[in-house]
Amino acid sequence: VRRYQRLMLPTLQNLFVAGLLLTNAAAVLNEERFLVKLGWGYDASRSEPPSVKKQIISLLHAVRVLMTIPLFVLNILVIVLKIIIG
């Protein structure tokens, strides 16, 4: 009897969970304790000329401000679905 090893192909669910984890990681970065020490503070970057660094800083700030409640809801939804479905 041959046993075929199951391939670990990325599914839509795995891609969604990976994106959710990355968004959570961006949302929990503390600006005062971590980002300012690296020179990535939002207030300091407002006076800088447009650059890739400034856009990343703005994206991190927007994720922290705008995605707090949606991330809370999505995390609970994913946890409940993982418990029910497995």
Side-chain angles (χ1 to χ4, degrees):
V1 176
R2 287 185 175 168
R3 293 184 182 188
Y4 293 100
Q5 192 174 21
R6 204 171 146 192
L7 295 175
M8 293 296 293
L9 297 175
T11 62
L12 191 57
Q13 176 189 1
N14 291 342
L15 293 174
F16 173 75
V17 171
L20 182 64
L21 288 172
L22 288 173
T23 308
N24 279 323
V28 299
L29 290 174
N30 190 311
E31 187 168 353
E32 290 86 26
R33 287 189 288 172
F34 182 70
L35 295 175
V36 170
K37 291 179 182 178
L38 297 175
W40 285 58
Y42 179 72
D43 292 331
S45 72
R46 293 175 74 183
S47 61
E48 292 181 8
S51 65
V52 175
K53 177 183 172 183
K54 185 175 178 177
Q55 289 193 353
I56 292 172
I57 292 169
S58 297
L59 176 66
L60 289 173
H61 182 73
V63 166
R64 279 193 310 275
V65 172
L66 300 175
M67 293 297 290
T68 305
I69 302 299
L71 277 175
F72 185 74
V73 172
L74 287 174
N75 284 320
I76 291 174
L77 182 68
V78 167
I79 291 169
V80 168
L81 288 176
K82 289 280 188 180
I83 289 173
I84 293 173
I85 297 172

